[in-house]
Amino acid sequence: MAQMTMIQAITDALRTELRNDPNVLVFGEDVGVNGGVFRATEGLQKEFGEERVFDTPLAESGIGGLAIGLALQGYRPAMEIQFFGFVYEVMDAISGQMARMRYRSGGTYTSPITIRSPFGGGVHTPEMHADSLEGLMAQQPGVKVVIPSTPYDAKGLLISSIRDNDPVIFLEHMKLYRSFRQEVPEEEYSIPLGKAEVKRQGSDLTIITYGAMVHESLKAAEELEKEGHSVEVIDLRTIMPLDIETIVASVEKTGRAIVVQEAQRQAGIAAQVIAEINERAILSLEAPVLRVAAPDTVFPFSQAESVWLPNFKDVIETAKKVLKF
Amino acid sequence: MASKTKKTLADAVKQLEKVQDQFETLQILNEEGEIINEAAMPEMSDEQLQELMKRMVYTRILDQRSISLNRQGRLGFYAPTAGQEASQLASQFALEKEDFILPGYRDVPQIIWHGLPLYQAFLFSRGHFKGNQIPEGVNVISPQIIIGAQYIQAAGVALGMKKRGKKSVAITYTGDGGASQGDFYEGINFAGAFKAPAIFIVQNNRFAISTPVEKQSAAKTIAQKAVAAGIPGVQVDGMDPLAVYAAVKDARERAVNGEGPTLIETLTYRYGPHTMAGDDPTRYRTSDLDNEWEKKDPLVRFRKFLEKKGIWSEEVENDVIEKAKDDIKEAIKKADETPKQKVTDLMEIMYEEMPNHLQEQYEIYKEKESK
């Protein structure tokens, strides 16, 4: 075991898979000698060489095409999009191409590609760096979308993502990169995709969340506990596919739920979670399932982040509405 | 200062003219079937020459029959190929089995001659997943509908081959309109930066649906777009099978020798509409232009050339035509006999392991299908 930040756990997972499988290739803008703009690939080119870890020209679409073509030659690409706001440049390669490769070829070809990309607010980035666009990806049949919130989860989920034989979008929240350390095993381990985790047990209310909002929700749960409310917090970890079983079991136990996301109310994945609960557990509900989400505006100018981004106070407020419904 | 600026611009105009001069059209066989460029003549045996002609005739028949089958409702999506036989088939003829083809939607003939069974090509046209289940060892992918996507993917396939140490190339095709896409540029630029063994072909048939090539770009040739990627560009007479073959053969040799990619523009023409989905070329093309290009027909000039060599006759051609018709009949029959698609089939080919939500839907459809 070692104390690792999330970024160190990610590097560790990449190193593990580069060692395990000679077909794993890591590439993107400035991921080579520079070690990545966030140091996620630090030291990897030195250890594995330019054949395995390499820089590309500055063109996201080309990087996506490169990954698809390399996969057609039997490689296992782990490509990076520098910031997920730049995904629009590579939407066709992801949603139009790699997500459909297995299906359109009737299983002849596959895209065992992992797309790593940072996102998320709270660190005053310039425009189009922090947007939460996971909702776009989750609507595309053929991909899986993974969003870890802890160093431990990040390593296990990234190893699983790279080993998955279908495309996985692995979104890394920038605020969580170095915000805390956690015990992470040095040896390899994996966490199954599509499995949520109950991060805190409770009996009065279920909070379903992911990404940076996991920590806001845990903080809110602690505050609510002081007022006598027992709150369960579910970290989805994979937002596509959803772990319906874990969500429904919790809601059936607590009878009340809220869904917390950083994305705008019209975006993200919260609406999908609520629809699933409504279809499967309405008879258990003591109150409607409410959402904590950002306002339906463009991601804020950096100085406005603090008033715009949802935080634990919003979670407490919405939780109370549901508890007192 | 002012005069210096003026001079700089004057130089830039001169530079443009100079660039264009570097992309003269490579032609070997003229419209009369005469060799006009002996030096560029590729080494081909009589058998190879005959085989290429056979494939071109066969493919012309395939086009005629496909149009007719489409009109009868026995085929679906179809993009006519008549006129482009030299461009499509002489380029494929220069490849080896281990080369990987990333075709556009009009490039079905190339993947058929690379090994895709004809009935599967018909299933592709109709919209059946079994049409895209490429047989083991046939290095092609199904026709790409997103114009330009095949270019960036070709850069990746080529880099993969280079990393594997293979002596093979990735070859991909787009049209004149496709050269305006971002992925067109990114594809050739990536392949250039990685010195990857890729051959990029632009089949310039002068029209992207109704839009003439002059409205795509102010560039006088598409071949010169290679300059932006720092790779060689060649413009060839795309109605001349020998010129197309020679250009692709050269590009292949450069590529497998580790010298990087090449962009080849073939000047060609489609005699038919853009697709069979209601496009009417008389709205945007004059009959004069059609007539002018019909004189350039690749079959006519190649036939003359082979006849003069004494290695082609009407009988041989008729045999090819009959063979094509028989094959097509049989392939359509085989396509008809292919079981209909079920929703559960489509679910099974989404992921290696079906996620829970799909599993749930699978059970629902399984139940529906059992009734």
Side-chain angles (χ1 to χ4, degrees):
Chain A
M1 291 289 240
Q3 286 281 322
M4 287 188 202
T5 61
M6 190 161 98
I7 199 97
Q8 288 168 333
I10 287 166
T11 313
D12 197 45
L14 290 170
R15 187 182 296 115
T16 303
E17 289 312 280
L18 280 161
R19 272 188 197 148
N20 273 337
D21 183 348
N23 289 318
V24 171
L25 301 175
V26 171
F27 54 90
E29 295 156 10
D30 311 294
V31 304
V33 67
N34 191 45
V37 292
F38 290 105
R39 302 286 167 264
T41 52
E42 175 99 336
L44 297 182
Q45 189 182 69
K46 206 168 175 195
E47 184 175 348
F48 299 97
E50 282 182 51
E51 283 291 307
R52 306 284 308 283
V53 180
F54 53 93
D55 292 323
T56 66
L58 202 169
E60 286 75 19
S61 190
I63 295 169
L66 202 68
I68 294 166
L70 287 165
L72 287 171
Q73 288 295 306
Y75 284 101
R76 193 172 283 280
M79 60 174 265
E80 179 179 307
I81 301 174
Q82 203 158 63
F83 294 94
F84 205 57
F86 310 164
V87 73
Y88 294 113
E89 296 283 349
V90 60
M91 278 297 279
D92 178 59
I94 300 171
S95 295
Q97 306 290 331
M98 62 180 82
R100 305 164 67 102
M101 182 64 82
R102 183 187 290 277
Y103 173 91
R104 78 182 284 258
S105 68
T108 308
Y109 299 120
T110 58
S111 291
I113 297 167
T114 302
I115 299 173
R116 286 186 43 251
S117 190
F119 80 108
V123 289
H124 301 290
T125 50
E127 212 174 355
M128 294 292 288
H129 283 57
D131 296 53
S132 288
L133 302 173
E134 68 279 6
L136 292 176
M137 296 294 123
Q139 291 204 5
Q140 175 57 53
V143 300
K144 294 172 185 164
V145 185
V146 175
I147 305 181
S149 69
T150 66
Y152 180 87
D153 286 353
K155 180 173 172 182
L157 289 167
L158 183 52
I159 288 174
S160 293
S161 299
I162 293 171
R163 291 179 186 178
D164 199 283
N165 286 327
D166 291 299
V168 178
I169 324 283
F170 191 86
L171 298 174
E172 304 165 1
H173 200 293
M174 282 183 273
K175 202 181 168 188
L176 302 181
Y177 267 155
R178 293 184 175 84
S179 58
F180 66 101
R181 287 173 186 275
Q182 190 184 25
E183 286 289 320
V184 175
E186 278 164 283
E187 63 275 14
E188 64 174 78
Y189 65 93
S190 59
I191 296 172
L193 305 185
K195 285 271 174 277
E197 190 187 44
V198 178
K199 288 271 198 279
R200 180 194 169 100
Q201 303 270 355
S203 54
D204 299 337
L205 170 77
T206 302
I207 299 180
I208 301 144
T209 184
Y210 58 97
M213 291 300 116
V214 170
H215 303 282
E216 296 299 320
S217 299
L218 288 168
K219 202 165 160 188
E222 247 170 69
E223 296 294 317
L224 289 160
E225 177 93 38
K226 288 176 195 162
E227 296 176 32
H229 305 293
S230 164
V231 177
E232 182 145 304
V233 177
I234 296 177
D235 179 356
L236 288 172
R237 301 198 294 193
T238 300
I239 62 147
M240 172 67 219
L242 286 171
D243 182 354
I244 303 285
E245 210 179 315
T246 302
I247 295 167
V248 169
S250 177
V251 172
E252 282 173 347
K253 179 176 73 175
T254 62
R256 297 174 200 265
I258 65 173
V259 186
V260 181
Q261 68 179 19
E262 179 176 322
Q264 292 89 336
R265 194 176 167 86
Q266 70 185 62
I269 190 71
Q272 179 69 10
V273 175
I274 293 170
E276 294 289 357
I277 296 170
N278 283 343
E279 286 184 25
R280 294 163 197 274
I282 196 152
L283 296 177
S284 304
L285 289 176
E286 303 287 341
V289 183
L290 298 188
R291 270 179 282 186
V292 175
D296 285 328
T297 69
V298 166
F299 192 88
F301 293 101
S302 64
Q303 290 202 325
E305 275 187 336
S306 59
V307 294
W308 189 91
L309 286 168
N311 62 28
F312 75 99
K313 289 179 196 158
D314 302 302
V315 179
I316 292 171
E317 194 182 305
T318 305
K320 283 185 174 169
K321 268 190 214 165
V322 171
L323 286 163
K324 290 173 187 158
F325 180 79
Chain B
M1 259 330 262
S3 68
K4 197 172 178 187
T5 308
K6 209 169 167 185
K7 184 173 180 310
T8 311
L9 281 176
D11 287 350
V13 171
K14 239 183 268 166
Q15 190 181 42
L16 180 64
E17 286 164 0
K18 256 178 155 168
V19 167
Q20 281 158 191
D21 288 348
Q22 291 167 30
F23 295 90
E24 264 180 68
T25 313
L26 171 73
Q27 192 188 37
I28 294 174
L29 208 55
N30 69 12
E31 290 168 31
E32 299 309 314
E34 296 156 348
I35 300 292
I36 56 151
N37 186 349
E38 192 68 52
M41 184 70 188
E43 266 180 51
M44 292 174 86
S45 68
D46 284 355
E47 289 72 29
Q48 281 180 307
L49 291 167
Q50 283 167 322
E51 175 61 22
L52 179 53
M53 182 63 181
K54 281 180 185 171
R55 291 183 181 195
M56 287 170 55
V57 170
Y58 190 109
T59 306
R60 178 67 58 90
I61 299 301
L62 177 61
D63 183 71
Q64 288 167 1
R65 293 296 303 140
S66 296
I67 287 171
S68 145
L69 288 162
N70 168 282
R71 289 200 174 120
Q72 296 163 30
R74 299 188 71 197
L75 282 182
F77 172 74
Y78 183 68
T81 59
Q84 298 190 193
E85 290 85 355
S87 172
Q88 295 182 321
L89 303 173
S91 59
Q92 191 277 331
F93 202 64
L95 303 179
E96 300 295 335
K97 195 173 161 41
E98 55 267 30
D99 297 335
F100 195 104
I101 304 180
L102 297 99
Y105 54 79
R106 202 180 299 281
D107 304 310
V108 177
Q110 293 96 308
I111 59 174
I112 290 172
W113 289 109
H114 216 57
L116 181 74
L118 196 51
Y119 86 96
Q120 287 192 283
F122 289 156
L123 286 174
F124 162 76
S125 162
R126 288 177 173 183
H128 195 301
F129 76 93
K130 287 194 177 292
N132 291 357
Q133 286 178 328
I134 311 297
E136 181 87 38
V138 177
N139 293 314
V140 308
I141 188 164
S142 54
Q144 178 58 250
I145 300 296
I146 300 303
I147 297 172
Q150 69 272 36
Y151 262 53
I152 48 174
Q153 292 173 20
V157 172
L159 180 60
M161 288 171 165
K162 182 179 173 178
K163 284 183 173 295
R164 296 273 185 225
K166 293 181 183 172
K167 287 280 176 202
S168 59
V169 301
I171 186 168
T172 186
Y173 298 82
T174 192
D176 39 291
S180 303
Q181 289 278 8
D183 281 352
F184 164 84
Y185 169 68
E186 289 185 29
I188 61 175
N189 187 60
F190 268 56
F194 288 113
K195 234 177 182 195
I199 302 175
F200 296 100
I201 296 193
V202 178
Q203 301 188 83
N204 176 1
N205 64 20
R206 306 196 51 77
F207 287 90
I209 306 188
S210 64
T211 307
V213 66
E214 292 78 15
K215 289 195 176 163
Q216 295 293 344
S217 172
K220 281 282 183 296
T221 70
I222 294 175
Q224 78 195 62
K225 295 193 179 216
V227 175
I231 66 171
V234 188
Q235 187 186 63
V236 303
D237 180 348
M239 307 301 259
D240 171 359
L242 298 179
V244 172
Y245 179 86
V248 175
K249 200 86 185 160
D250 273 7
R252 188 181 187 282
E253 200 171 306
R254 282 192 69 251
V256 297
N257 288 335
E259 292 166 57
T262 304
L263 179 69
I264 298 172
E265 175 189 11
T266 63
L267 298 175
T268 183
Y269 203 71
R270 61 169 154 87
Y271 296 144
H274 162 66
T275 68
M276 294 305 292
D279 176 45
D280 173 13
T282 63
R283 292 168 76 108
Y284 53 84
R285 269 185 349 208
T286 62
S287 54
D288 282 354
L289 190 64
D290 284 349
N291 291 338
E292 181 196 325
W293 279 88
E294 265 159 38
K295 282 184 206 139
K296 296 178 198 277
D297 191 329
L299 268 65
V300 171
R301 72 175 75 174
F302 204 37
R303 187 184 291 120
K304 284 180 181 165
F305 170 71
L306 296 183
E307 280 172 353
K308 261 179 265 175
K309 278 178 81 82
I311 56 172
W312 194 255
S313 67
E314 212 181 317
E315 295 78 68
V316 177
E317 183 150 339
N318 284 335
D319 286 350
V320 175
I321 292 169
E322 287 316 307
K323 169 91 168 76
K325 286 180 177 169
D326 289 349
D327 288 357
I328 291 163
K329 219 180 275 171
E330 201 180 311
I332 274 289
K333 197 166 156 256
K334 202 163 174 197
D336 288 344
E337 287 162 359
T338 305
K340 283 203 175 88
Q341 299 166 105
K342 301 192 299 287
V343 177
T344 48
D345 294 331
L346 305 182
M347 289 173 169
E348 279 167 0
I349 52 179
M350 280 303 303
Y351 298 89
E352 182 177 50
E353 234 177 286
M354 221 181 274
N356 287 342
H357 68 288
L358 256 191
Q359 188 66 50
E360 195 177 284
Q361 294 164 35
Y362 186 85
E363 298 306 329
I364 293 167
Y365 278 88
K366 192 90 190 157
E367 172 73 19
K368 284 186 190 189
E369 288 163 7
S370 70
K371 280 175 190 159

